[in-house]
Amino acid sequence: MTATDRAATPAARTRKGILPWRIERRPDPDRIGVYRLVAVLVGLAISLIVAPILSGVPVGDFYKAIWTGTIGTALGWSNVLTIAIPLTLAGLAAAIPYRLSLWNVGIDGQMLMGAWAATGVGLWLPNAPGPLLILVMIIAGLIAGALWIVIPTWARVAFGVSEVITTFLLNFVAVAWLVYWCTGPWRAPGVAGGIRAAQVPEQSWLPMLDIHGAQVNLGIVLVPLLPVAFWAYSRFTRRGYEVTMLGANPQAGGYAGMRVKRHLITAMLMGGAIAGLAGAINMLGTSHELSPGLTYNTGFNGLVVAVLAGANELGVLALSAVYSLLLAGGGSLGIIGVSSDLVFAIIGVTLVFGSLGEAYARLRLVRTTPRGASSPTAPPPSITPSLPGSTESEGAS
Amino acid sequence: MADGIVASAVATAIGGSTAILLAATGELLVEKVGVYNIALEGVMLVGALSGLIADVNTGSWVIGLLVGGLFGALFALCFGLITVVLRTDMIVVGVALIFVALGITDVVGSKYVGVSVPDPIPKLPIPGLSSLPFFGSAIFSQSLITYLAAALPFGVAFLLSRTRHGLNMRALGENPHAADTAGIPVVGWRLFYVAVGGAFGGIGGAVLTLGIIGAWITNVTAGQGWIAFAIVFFSGWRPLGVLLGAYFFGALSVLGTVGQVEGWDLPSEVFTVLPYVGTVAVMIIRAWSQRRRGGISWPAALGLPFYRG
């Protein structure tokens, strides 16, 4: 797609519209990330005030449920930490492609495929020693997650097919694939409890840690580890630097001789692999069995985290913590009879607010009809530098 | 070969793709003026629930469809104000609004789960045509809205390629700066068509709850908005391609029923995934053939924010 960001015409225009203002770009947008985060927090506060009214329950009960479901009790803490594991990984799975303006909207599907592959290994080798089995299951999850994004990646790189749609639609395919295995070859003995596969061998269950009374599986060590590792990689290595450059300015990267396609492919496959890891870890650490509902929109939440973090790995870590609190609190609303899906609306609102904050940082209102236009002088010329290769020139290709 | 089964499958395929056809035709209008509304799935959800609530309270499917369209338009207008006016990222805001729609419709709709629709959309057999042999009754015994939805792409094709206004619309999507210079209000018309597309998406959603499915279930659309979005891509931004794409999707969705009756030895999940796999495959094939012909068919300014000067 051709960039239509034209070079700015220095001549001021005095054309009148319906409104006495028009919106134009600030010449020097600054601290976009700060504005975005402040806006997110404002959105969160507004949502948390409006939500109990919308759901029609006593306001006190609403906040009490959230308090006990999150930081008020040891069980709440366990929930928060357990949710943080797949959410942080899903955030990375979205952030790594997003650095290159690629969208991984299929994280839920990749997570399911990762959990599927891990389950397959577990059921195939029921007598393998625990640590070895866990290792093989996790590797299988990584590979399966990466394979699940191969077709969207290929279609995008070779033909320019929008990865937004293809990655998303494959989520439905992954769900159907799991329904087949959970109701067919791997069906759990006994019928109760919906669609789910047999449990994986007990020696492959991730050990539980006790952190000041909160119970959480061993996967929690990945939560600080992986974001910091990826951050260090992109900060201190040549390839990481190339990706950062490429993300900031794709055309310049190509002119500088970088292998753009290869970076795009690596980022997508890496995103898929981490999503697969998230799925495998989630299955091994919590349910110990495969089911099509395993992810519960974690992939989408991860996408939100990645976008709001501006694809920064440490930002993903921090925002995952915030959203884990929110999700755990939302999950506890079921006790007082409020659908826990309410939390998706809140997450959506915060994302909208994040966009508004970014818009505030980037744009300004300019009067088109100067007040009391007595002097014939035109308003000062607005020289907005064109931003070649900024994310704004990235269309649906 | 059980002809009755095939005929009823054809009827279901045509009727069942009505929601997608409406939503995709609306989305085509939106994309022609240079905007893509990824929140279409959310628009359909909002339309589906508000249409059902209106039908339950008034007992009229016509009011249900109109209310569904109205709320779909309002919801899409939120998307338009945030993206078109404030020049934010359409994908981010679209995904966010899908979340909002999913959460709010689930909370509000929990009271309406299991409520039966008092006045579902009636079937309207066309006298004469519906008694034709073979597929006559399958094709010509649909609801009024299905006929209208099938006619809609032809109307849109006429609008886009035969009228002055259609030319202006295409200019908005191809070269908004030229349109602006010619005095066409870019932001205004883009907002207008985002709302129009939202109205069609909302009516499509209401067709789901009032006709095709006939009840409210949480996340009743189950990806139909995304498929409608994808259909616009693989139609090559042509109205009649949208029509074909929607019926192609409808045909894929009923293959499972046909297969069960005919006794094909395949797991039912194969048929569940056919519409999704089919959509992905057709998108790739289309892009591949376009690449070979060297033509780019999408509106050149699609998805790009418009800044004057």
Side-chain angles (χ1 to χ4, degrees):
Chain A
M1 185 167 292
T2 56
T4 53
D5 274 84
R6 295 289 154 79
T9 43
R13 306 205 189 176
T14 51
R15 197 172 348 175
K16 285 176 199 163
I18 303 167
L19 300 170
W21 309 286
R22 89 189 130 90
I23 292 170
E24 67 177 34
R25 278 170 287 192
R26 286 181 198 272
D28 48 351
D30 195 16
R31 285 179 291 181
I32 292 168
V34 177
Y35 281 107
R36 190 167 49 206
L37 280 187
V38 170
V40 166
L41 294 177
V42 170
L44 192 57
I46 292 176
S47 312
L48 287 177
I49 292 168
V50 173
I53 301 164
L54 181 73
S55 52
V57 292
V59 176
D61 292 359
F62 186 89
Y63 295 120
K64 192 163 170 247
I66 289 185
W67 173 258
T68 52
T70 52
I71 53 180
T73 59
L75 183 65
W77 271 112
S78 307
N79 280 339
V80 173
L81 293 174
T82 307
I83 289 172
I85 300 168
L87 181 60
T88 310
L89 297 186
L92 281 181
I96 291 169
Y98 186 55
R99 288 165 62 96
L100 296 176
S101 303
L102 293 170
W103 291 88
N104 184 1
V105 198
I107 297 174
D108 284 297
Q110 294 142 24
M111 285 178 70
L112 290 178
M113 293 312 287
W116 170 81
T119 304
V121 171
L123 298 178
W124 176 49
L125 302 168
N127 299 317
L132 178 71
L133 186 55
I134 292 177
L135 186 69
V136 178
M137 288 167 96
I138 285 178
I139 291 172
L142 282 164
I143 294 172
L147 284 179
W148 202 242
I149 206 174
V150 160
I151 290 176
T153 307
W154 166 71
R156 166 66 203 250
V157 173
F159 308 123
V161 175
S162 166
E163 77 283 1
V164 180
I165 301 172
T166 50
T167 52
F168 178 78
L169 290 179
L170 286 181
N171 286 336
F172 294 100
V173 182
V175 169
W177 178 249
L178 259 69
V179 169
Y180 169 74
W181 285 91
C182 292
T183 55
W186 295 349
R187 186 174 47 207
V191 281
I195 300 169
R196 57 195 174 83
Q199 286 195 327
V200 293
E202 204 166 335
Q203 73 270 23
S204 69
W205 298 4
L206 291 181
M208 299 299 280
L209 306 178
D210 187 302
I211 305 174
H212 299 295
Q215 303 287 319
V216 64
N217 68 66
L218 188 64
I220 193 73
V221 299
L222 292 174
V223 168
L225 212 60
L226 271 187
V228 170
F230 274 99
W231 173 80
Y233 179 81
S234 55
R235 186 56 52 101
F236 298 121
T237 67
R238 189 181 132 237
R239 282 189 63 99
Y241 176 74
E242 282 193 7
V243 171
T244 311
M245 288 301 301
L246 215 53
N249 192 337
Q251 284 164 336
Y255 294 139
M258 295 176 193
R259 291 189 231 177
V260 178
K261 278 191 178 178
R262 183 191 255 192
H263 280 299
L264 296 183
I265 293 169
T266 313
M268 286 292 271
L269 295 185
M270 192 83 85
I274 294 171
L277 172 71
I281 295 278
N282 204 26
M283 188 274 295
L284 288 171
T286 58
S287 63
H288 313 303
E289 67 193 16
L290 192 65
S291 68
L294 190 69
T295 66
Y296 195 57
N297 275 0
T298 302
F300 268 99
N301 296 329
L303 188 70
V304 172
V305 164
V307 168
L308 291 178
N312 179 296
E313 296 88 345
L314 299 183
V316 167
L317 178 58
L319 278 173
S320 293
V322 175
Y323 280 87
S324 300
L325 285 167
L326 186 59
L327 285 164
S332 65
L333 290 175
I335 303 165
I336 56 169
V338 176
S339 165
S340 51
D341 282 358
L342 179 65
V343 80
F344 294 136
I346 297 179
I347 290 174
V349 168
T350 60
L351 186 54
V352 169
F353 269 78
S355 291
L356 294 177
E358 195 170 330
Y360 182 78
R362 285 188 193 279
L363 303 173
R364 63 181 180 190
L365 272 180
V366 179
R367 275 196 166 270
T368 46
T369 48
R371 218 190 304 256
S374 55
S375 75
T377 52
S382 60
I383 300 170
T384 46
S386 69
L387 304 166
S390 69
T391 50
E392 290 155 356
S393 62
E394 186 72 23
S397 46
Chain B
M1 187 90 168
D3 279 333
I5 305 296
V6 174
S8 93
V10 169
T12 314
I14 293 174
S17 48
T18 307
I20 287 182
L21 178 54
L22 282 166
T25 312
E27 180 69 20
L28 177 76
L29 288 171
V30 178
E31 297 196 7
K32 274 290 179 185
V33 298
V35 182
Y36 51 89
N37 184 358
I38 282 206
L40 191 57
E41 174 90 4
V43 169
M44 287 182 78
L45 272 175
V46 169
L49 181 61
S50 55
L52 178 111
I53 292 176
D55 190 315
V56 167
N57 287 312
T58 64
S60 156
W61 63 269
V62 178
I63 295 179
L65 288 186
L66 291 177
V67 169
L70 177 70
F71 276 81
L74 289 176
F75 192 74
L77 208 53
C78 293
F79 173 86
L81 287 172
I82 299 169
T83 57
V84 177
V85 177
L86 298 177
R87 277 83 168 173
T88 50
D89 190 299
M90 291 173 193
I91 298 179
V92 173
V93 177
V95 169
L97 287 182
I98 290 175
F99 265 68
V100 172
L102 190 61
I104 289 182
T105 56
D106 188 28
V107 171
V108 177
S110 58
K111 290 195 268 305
Y112 292 91
V113 174
V115 174
S116 64
V117 179
D119 186 26
I121 302 173
K123 294 269 186 271
L124 187 76
I126 296 180
L129 289 175
S130 60
S131 49
L132 286 174
F134 301 111
F135 296 116
S137 74
I139 297 173
F140 296 107
S141 300
Q142 303 285 349
S143 62
L144 177 64
I145 190 76
T146 300
Y147 303 128
L148 290 179
L152 191 61
F154 294 96
V156 168
F158 181 81
L159 171 75
L160 285 171
S161 55
R162 292 276 182 272
T163 65
R164 163 72 55 174
H165 180 66
L167 184 67
N168 289 351
M169 285 174 69
R170 285 185 283 141
L172 290 171
E174 299 288 350
N175 192 340
H177 290 91
D180 184 47
T181 312
I184 304 167
V186 176
V187 170
W189 278 119
R190 283 187 169 179
L191 272 182
F192 176 77
Y193 277 105
V194 165
V196 170
F200 285 141
I203 293 174
V207 168
L208 271 182
T209 47
L210 302 182
I212 298 168
I213 293 173
W216 168 258
I217 342 166
T218 297
N219 195 10
V220 68
T221 50
Q224 296 214 12
W226 287 91
I227 289 180
F229 188 77
I231 282 173
V232 178
F233 272 68
F234 81 57
S235 75
W237 287 268
R238 282 190 287 259
L240 303 188
V242 167
L243 186 70
L244 280 181
Y247 286 147
F248 172 68
F249 169 82
L252 288 181
S253 357
V254 297
L255 260 185
T257 329
V258 176
Q260 268 175 356
V261 174
E262 301 277 331
W264 297 345
D265 190 20
L266 286 169
S268 65
E269 287 79 20
V270 171
F271 301 107
T272 314
V273 302
L274 266 182
Y276 307 110
V277 173
T279 305
V280 171
V282 174
M283 280 182 79
I284 293 175
I285 292 167
R286 268 207 67 90
W288 175 71
S289 68
Q290 271 168 21
R291 173 63 49 99
R292 274 163 53 101
R293 280 190 268 120
I296 302 170
S297 55
W298 61 68
L302 180 60
L304 300 177
F306 171 72
Y307 294 98
R308 183 181 282 175

